[in-house]
Amino acid sequence: MKNWSLVFLFMICGVLYVSCGSDNDAQICDQRVVIDATEYTTAPMDALVIGSLTFNGDCLEITFSAGGCDGKSWELKLIDSGAISESLPPQRNLILSLKNDEFCEALITQTLTVDIAPLQIEGSSIQLNLVNTGDEILYTYGS
């Protein structure tokens, strides 16, 4: 009876191992882009400076700096206006919203990753304009 219990236990472990295997193509971002015209116009926009914008699949990695104590209380969102400019390539306007209630004078640098897959439209690329920082980047997707 003990042997069958062990065999059954190993079978369950094997099934769990196979079903929970990692997917090398999956990216995990810190958050997902918000597409909302109202939030785009009303979100807080405390001062920040973009250091770099890079892609890791459909995650946009944003390295930025702002004044503060340690940045732990910051509230960040990447917000899209919902409008798409008819140009070549098409363009979307976004803001990197920062709510910063820290009153220290240190310059803090952080990196945020945002899932921007919801910004995809027909075609294979779109220009992303961060209007509150003046930064822009071409997002290419699909194959």
Side-chain angles (χ1 to χ4, degrees), residues 11-12 31 50 73-75 109 124 126 128:
M11 287 176 53
I12 289 176
Q31 56 183 255
I50 301 285
S73 67
W74 291 351
E75 294 177 29
T109 300
S124 60
I126 192 161
L128 304 179

Coordinates of all heavy atoms in Angstrom, one line a residue, residues 11-12 31 50 73-75 109 124 126 128:
M11 N 3.4 10.9 -9.2 CA 2.6 11.2 -10.4 C 2.0 12.6 -10.2 O 2.0 13.4 -11.1 CB 1.5 10.2 -10.6 CG 2.0 8.8 -11.1 SD 0.7 7.6 -11.3 CE -0.5 8.4 -12.3
I12 N 1.4 12.9 -9.0 CA 0.9 14.2 -8.8 C 1.9 15.3 -8.9 O 1.7 16.4 -9.6 CB 0.2 14.3 -7.4 CG1 -1.1 13.5 -7.4 CG2 -0.1 15.7 -7.0 CD1 -1.8 13.4 -6.1
Q31 N 2.9 46.9 -14.1 CA 1.5 47.3 -14.2 C 1.1 47.3 -15.7 O 1.9 47.1 -16.6 CB 1.2 48.7 -13.6 CG 2.1 49.8 -14.1 CD 1.8 51.1 -13.3 OE1 1.2 52.0 -13.9 NE2 2.3 51.2 -12.1
I50 N 12.7 61.6 -17.6 CA 12.9 60.2 -18.2 C 14.4 60.0 -18.5 O 15.0 60.8 -19.2 CB 12.1 60.0 -19.5 CG1 10.6 60.2 -19.2 CG2 12.3 58.7 -20.1 CD1 9.9 59.1 -18.5
S73 N 6.6 56.0 -1.6 CA 5.2 56.5 -1.6 C 4.7 57.0 -2.9 O 3.5 57.3 -3.0 CB 5.0 57.6 -0.5 OG 5.7 58.7 -0.9
W74 N 5.5 57.0 -3.9 CA 5.1 57.5 -5.2 C 4.0 56.7 -5.8 O 4.0 55.4 -5.7 CB 6.3 57.5 -6.2 CG 7.3 58.5 -5.9 CD1 7.3 59.5 -5.0 CD2 8.6 58.6 -6.5 NE1 8.5 60.2 -5.0 CE2 9.3 59.7 -5.9 CE3 9.3 57.9 -7.5 CZ2 10.6 60.0 -6.3 CZ3 10.5 58.2 -7.9 CH2 11.2 59.3 -7.3
E75 N 3.1 57.3 -6.5 CA 2.0 56.7 -7.3 C 2.3 57.0 -8.7 O 2.2 58.1 -9.1 CB 0.6 57.1 -6.8 CG 0.3 56.8 -5.4 CD -1.0 57.3 -4.9 OE1 -1.9 57.5 -5.8 OE2 -1.2 57.6 -3.7
T109 N 16.0 57.6 -8.5 CA 15.8 57.0 -9.8 C 15.2 55.7 -9.6 O 15.6 54.9 -8.8 CB 17.2 56.9 -10.5 OG1 17.8 58.2 -10.7 CG2 17.0 56.2 -11.9
S124 N 1.8 47.2 -37.6 CA 2.8 46.5 -36.8 C 3.6 47.5 -36.0 O 4.6 47.2 -35.3 CB 3.8 45.8 -37.7 OG 4.4 46.7 -38.7
I126 N 3.5 51.7 -33.8 CA 2.8 52.9 -33.4 C 3.8 53.8 -32.6 O 4.6 53.3 -31.9 CB 1.5 52.6 -32.6 CG1 0.7 53.9 -32.4 CG2 1.8 52.0 -31.3 CD1 -0.8 53.6 -32.1
L128 N 4.7 56.3 -29.8 CA 4.2 56.6 -28.5 C 4.8 57.9 -28.0 O 6.1 58.0 -28.0 CB 4.5 55.5 -27.5 CG 4.0 54.1 -27.8 CD1 4.5 53.1 -26.7 CD2 2.5 54.1 -28.0

